[in-house]
Structure formats: structure tokens, C-alpha cells
Amino acid sequence: MRKIVFESPMKAVVRQADKPVCGRGQVLLKMRRIGVCGTDIQVFAGKNRYMEFPVVPFHEGIAIVEETGEDVNDLEPGSLVTIRPILSCNMCYSCRKGKKNACMNFNSLGVQSDGLGADYFVISREYVYPLEQDADLDKVIFIEPFAVGVHAAYQGDVEGKEVLVVGGGTIGNFTAQACMLAGAKKTAICDISREKIRMAEKSGIDFAIDTSNLTLVQAARQCFEEFPDVIIDCAAVPAVFTQILELAGKTTTVVIVGNYSVPVQADIAKIQRNELTVKGCITYREEDFIRARDLIEEGRVYLDGFISKRYRFSQVQEMMEQALKNKGINMKTIMDFEGE
């Protein structure tokens, strides 16, 4: 079979490898589609602090069940499935408290361990989720990133509250949509990219603000009487985080979703004196993933036009270079395994 390897920064190659063997409690998957995430772009560029080269990339995927191992009795070969790619040890402090997404031995496919960038992939049954057999791949490929938004809304406890999402890329847009679906009173999103603001407007988000010439405080004045109850950071830009702390009012909740590639200096006095609640947000819980799947299959998430570029397996180097170059304007790049 073929597999993709990021050998070093900016270098993706296709290699031949043995087809994996399906063991007890496992599922052998034939991959059909991959979505390229901002984390994948970081890994490709060598700017992710939690990985080492070489690595087989990618964690957003749709597949067909090729084979099931012993003790797997609830999936049939030929079933269309998606994969929850955050692996947990089930034994550490966090896992024992039911917070497996914050596992102390955190392991994301395509970062800490080899990912879905191969013709076949084998994984424990617990991470495989069936889809409707006739599901639209252009829709269900977004289940994994939408789950991030669902968890962000949960962390922000947004029901009945006014929410500002900073950063209008795929994760930011999905976070804003998830907040609305979770019952937020008012949801605003901002970004410096006019293309992403147009997508937010199409998605039906209450307020979509172009901040290319505005501070966050100025943007917030267009949406809220004073300041938002919850600010969700999907931008992961140190200078923007400083603005978030400037904007935050007394008792505001700040949720950090974006993946910062460098340490950030913060004015702790602003957090202390304003009694802010600052929450980290890492991936999602299993229930968030299932809710994301259900919402997308029910057609409750706006997804039209989210696919910016399509590539084939053999075009991985070109695909990743494009994704990196255009990360400021792209929503989602996808790779199909078929058609070559």
C-alpha cells in the first residue's frame, strides 16, 4: 500500500509499506478522504511543538471498513465510517476523571503517532463511528473539526450568553455555529480575512466583523452593549490574545481553542483583578464528537462552499504547499484516495 510521510519540514513523500494486520478488537479501514487541518500545516512546516519527524500525517478522515478483528461484532465490512483520532490511555488521572480528551498521555494521530495518510489504517473499534451509508462525503468530512467547535461551546457554557469568536477560519466558524446551536443569546465572529467574513455571513452567524482595520474593542462595540460574556480564541496569535485581555470585562470567560506554536506573555493582573475565567480547550470529548456527527447528518450545520481545494493522494507535496501558502484565506483542503 501507499503511505504519506512528512520526512522533514516542508517535505512530503509517498512510500510503499505493508498493509496493516487487523488484530483483536480492531478495525482495518480503507481510507477514502482526508481533510487538512491547521495542525497538519503546522506539522508540515515543522512548527508543531509536540511532534517529531518522520511522521505519517493527518487525523481528519472518512473510510470504508475493510475487515474487523475478533470481538468486533457491530460493524460490517463495507460500512462507511469516520474516525475519532484522539487516542487516550484510559488509565491516567484525566482519563479516570472522564476527561479523556485531556489524557496525560495525549496522542493525536498524525502528530504524536502515525496518522491516516495511508491507503489502509488499523485502529481500535472504540475510535470508529458508523455513518449513513449514502452520506455525502463533502459534508461528513467536517465531523472532526466541527467537534472542536462543539467542545469549545461546552467549555464556554454559552447557553443564554453573548459570545465573541476571534478567528474566522474553519474552526472559528464552526465554533460560532456550535455556539448558536447550543443556545447562545448572541454570537459574533471576527477576522482580518474578508473571505472568511463572507463565509461567516453566509453561515448565518449573528455578527461577522472585518477586523483588518479595527481593534477587538472597536469590533465588540458593533455587536455588544458593553463586552461579550464569553470570548473564544480561535486565532492563536499572541498580539491578538493581548487584545482579548484588553476587551475582557469583569468576570468574562475566555476559552483558548487555537493551537499556539510559541509561548505567550500575558498580563496576569488583568486576569486576577477582573476575575476572569480562562479555560483551555483541547480537542473534544466523545459526546462532542457524536453530537457533531449527528448535527451534520441532520443538516443543521452550514457547510456550503467550505471546501477550498481538492487534491489526489499523489499530489500531497503540492497540496501541503498550497495549504500553507493560503492558510489565511482557505477554509478546507481535502485529499481523495480514489480517482488515480
Side-chain angles (χ1 to χ4, degrees), residues 114-175:
D114 285 347
L116 303 174
D119 286 318
Y120 294 93
F121 190 81
V122 68
I123 193 169
S124 172
R125 167 65 183 89
E126 67 178 295
Y127 299 106
V128 178
Y129 295 80
L131 301 171
E132 296 173 355
Q133 199 62 22
D134 60 351
D136 183 347
L137 298 194
D138 282 357
K139 306 295 185 183
V140 294
I141 191 60
F142 290 104
I143 290 171
E144 196 277 343
F146 193 74
V148 176
V150 172
H151 187 58
Y154 166 81
Q155 285 289 82
D157 188 22
V158 301
E159 184 176 3
K161 297 177 181 176
E162 297 186 344
V163 182
L164 173 64
V165 177
V166 181
T170 302
I171 296 299
N173 185 296
F174 284 173
T175 294

Side-chain angles (χ1 to χ4, degrees), residues 166 216 231-248 253-258 260 262-268 270-271 276-280:
V166 181
L216 289 189
I231 305 172
I232 304 181
D233 176 13
C234 294
V237 176
V240 173
F241 188 74
T242 299
Q243 290 190 49
I244 287 173
L245 292 185
E246 291 290 340
L247 169 63
T253 295
V254 178
V255 181
I256 302 172
V257 177
Y260 280 87
V262 296
V264 179
Q265 290 187 333
D267 186 348
I268 300 300
K270 290 185 181 295
I271 298 172
L276 305 184
T277 299
V278 180
K279 291 185 175 183

Side-chain angles (χ1 to χ4, degrees), residues 11 44-45 84 163 167 169 211 233 255 280:
K11 185 177 181 181
F44 176 69
R84 179 167 59 92
V163 182
T211 48
D233 176 13
V255 181

Side-chain angles (χ1 to χ4, degrees), residues 140-323:
V140 294
I141 191 60
F142 290 104
I143 290 171
E144 196 277 343
F146 193 74
V148 176
V150 172
H151 187 58
Y154 166 81
Q155 285 289 82
D157 188 22
V158 301
E159 184 176 3
K161 297 177 181 176
E162 297 186 344
V163 182
L164 173 64
V165 177
V166 181
T170 302
I171 296 299
N173 185 296
F174 284 173
T175 294
Q177 289 197 55
C179 288
M180 295 176 69
L181 290 166
K185 179 181 178 181
K186 184 186 295 184
T187 302
I189 190 169
C190 62
D191 200 282
I192 61 173
S193 165
R194 186 57 203 161
E195 291 84 356
K196 291 178 179 178
I197 290 303
R198 280 195 287 267
M199 181 60 75
E201 292 168 345
K202 292 177 183 177
S203 302
I205 297 165
D206 296 328
F207 295 91
I209 308 298
D210 181 347
T211 48
S212 55
N213 294 303
L214 298 174
T215 66
L216 289 189
V217 171
Q218 291 169 332
R221 287 175 182 157
Q222 298 185 24
C223 313
F224 310 104
E225 290 185 8
E226 295 181 89
F227 42 77
D229 304 308
V230 181
I231 305 172
I232 304 181
D233 176 13
C234 294
V237 176
V240 173
F241 188 74
T242 299
Q243 290 190 49
I244 287 173
L245 292 185
E246 291 290 340
L247 169 63
K250 295 285 187 179
T251 72
T252 296
T253 295
V254 178
V255 181
I256 302 172
V257 177
N259 186 8
Y260 280 87
S261 60
V262 296
V264 179
Q265 290 187 333
D267 186 348
I268 300 300
K270 290 185 181 295
I271 298 172
Q272 181 261 325
R273 295 182 68 83
N274 288 332
E275 203 162 283
L276 305 184
T277 299
V278 180
K279 291 185 175 183
C281 185
I282 182 68
T283 66
Y284 37 75
R285 306 166 300 164
E286 181 179 23
E287 50 263 52
D288 301 319
F289 192 89
I290 292 171
R291 177 162 172 75
R293 178 195 63 181
D294 293 347
L295 287 169
I296 285 177
E297 289 197 326
E298 291 165 7
R300 298 179 64 190
V301 182
Y302 183 86
L303 298 170
D304 293 348
F306 269 75
I307 296 176
S308 303
K309 295 283 185 178
R310 299 176 187 266
Y311 289 87
R312 298 186 300 276
F313 192 101
S314 62
Q315 297 174 302
V316 61
Q317 178 72 30
E318 178 186 351
M319 177 181 77
M320 294 309 303
E321 289 176 355
Q322 176 276 143

Side-chain angles (χ1 to χ4, degrees), residues 47-61:
K47 294 184 178 180
N48 187 287
R49 293 186 286 168
Y50 307 105
M51 55 76 62
E52 295 180 359
F53 292 108
V55 65
V56 177
F58 307 129
H59 61 273
E60 299 176 8

